[in-house]
Amino acid sequence: MFTEASEHDIELLSESDELNNGGLALTAYARLQFTEMSDYERKELERGLLMYCELDTLAMVMIQEAWREMIN
Protein backbone atom coordinates (compact mmCIF):
# COMPACT_ATOMS: atom_id res chain seq x y z
CA MET A 1 0.00 0.00 0.00
CA PHE A 2 1.51 3.32 -1.09
CA THR A 3 1.22 6.18 1.38
CA GLU A 4 1.80 9.86 0.71
CA ALA A 5 5.35 11.03 1.39
CA SER A 6 5.84 13.56 4.17
CA GLU A 7 7.47 16.93 3.56
CA HIS A 8 10.61 15.53 5.22
CA ASP A 9 10.65 12.58 2.81
CA ILE A 10 10.26 14.94 -0.15
CA GLU A 11 13.25 16.95 1.08
CA LEU A 12 15.29 13.76 1.44
CA LEU A 13 14.34 12.65 -2.05
CA SER A 14 15.59 15.94 -3.45
CA GLU A 15 19.04 15.28 -2.00
CA SER A 16 20.62 12.33 -3.80
CA ASP A 17 23.02 11.77 -0.88
CA GLU A 18 20.02 10.93 1.29
CA LEU A 19 18.50 8.39 -1.10
CA ASN A 20 19.95 5.56 0.91
CA ASN A 21 17.27 2.93 1.50
CA GLY A 22 14.78 0.88 -0.42
CA GLY A 23 11.72 2.70 0.91
CA LEU A 24 12.98 6.07 -0.26
CA ALA A 25 14.02 4.56 -3.60
CA LEU A 26 10.51 3.17 -4.13
CA THR A 27 8.96 6.51 -3.22
CA ALA A 28 11.34 8.37 -5.54
CA TYR A 29 10.52 6.01 -8.41
CA ALA A 30 6.79 6.46 -7.81
CA ARG A 31 7.21 10.24 -7.74
CA LEU A 32 9.05 10.11 -11.07
CA GLN A 33 6.12 8.27 -12.61
CA PHE A 34 3.15 10.07 -11.12
CA THR A 35 4.20 13.57 -10.01
CA GLU A 36 4.60 16.81 -11.93
CA MET A 37 8.02 18.28 -11.12
CA SER A 38 10.70 20.52 -12.52
CA ASP A 39 13.37 19.18 -14.85
CA TYR A 40 15.97 19.85 -12.13
CA GLU A 41 14.07 17.82 -9.52
CA ARG A 42 13.48 15.00 -12.01
CA LYS A 43 17.19 14.85 -12.92
CA GLU A 44 18.22 14.88 -9.25
CA LEU A 45 15.83 12.03 -8.41
CA GLU A 46 17.05 10.04 -11.41
CA ARG A 47 20.67 10.65 -10.41
CA GLY A 48 19.95 9.60 -6.84
CA LEU A 49 18.19 6.43 -7.99
CA LEU A 50 21.07 5.52 -10.28
CA MET A 51 23.58 5.98 -7.46
CA TYR A 52 21.43 3.91 -5.09
CA CYS A 53 20.97 1.13 -7.66
CA GLU A 54 24.70 1.10 -8.43
CA LEU A 55 25.58 0.57 -4.77
CA ASP A 56 22.80 -1.97 -4.29
CA THR A 57 24.00 -3.95 -7.32
CA LEU A 58 27.60 -3.83 -6.09
CA ALA A 59 26.49 -5.22 -2.74
CA MET A 60 24.69 -8.11 -4.46
CA VAL A 61 27.79 -8.90 -6.54
CA MET A 62 29.95 -8.90 -3.41
CA ILE A 63 27.54 -11.30 -1.68
CA GLN A 64 27.53 -13.61 -4.69
CA GLU A 65 31.33 -13.61 -4.81
CA ALA A 66 31.54 -14.41 -1.10
CA TRP A 67 29.11 -17.31 -1.52
CA ARG A 68 31.13 -18.60 -4.45
CA GLU A 69 34.30 -18.56 -2.32
CA MET A 70 32.51 -20.39 0.51
CA ILE A 71 31.40 -23.15 -1.86
CA ASN A 72 34.87 -23.63 -3.37
Side-chain angles (χ1 to χ4, degrees), residues 2-69:
F2 180 75
T3 59
E4 183 102 11
S6 68
E7 288 298 317
H8 177 69
D9 289 339
I10 292 170
E11 288 177 26
L12 290 176
L13 292 171
S14 298
E15 299 292 328
S16 62
D17 293 341
E18 296 294 329
L19 188 53
N20 59 10
N21 71 59
L24 286 177
L26 286 172
T27 302
Y29 184 69
R31 286 192 69 217
L32 284 174
Q33 293 181 55
F34 303 113
T35 304
E36 296 280 334
M37 64 182 72
S38 68
D39 289 340
Y40 172 78
E41 186 177 15
R42 183 169 300 280
K43 287 178 185 176
E44 285 299 304
L45 283 176
E46 288 172 353
R47 188 170 63 88
L49 281 169
L50 287 172
M51 287 173 55
Y52 173 79
C53 290
E54 179 182 4
L55 292 174
D56 200 39
T57 302
L58 176 61
M60 287 187 272
V61 168
M62 293 171 74
I63 290 169
Q64 192 271 340
E65 287 176 350
W67 285 344
R68 185 178 293 180
E69 287 181 23

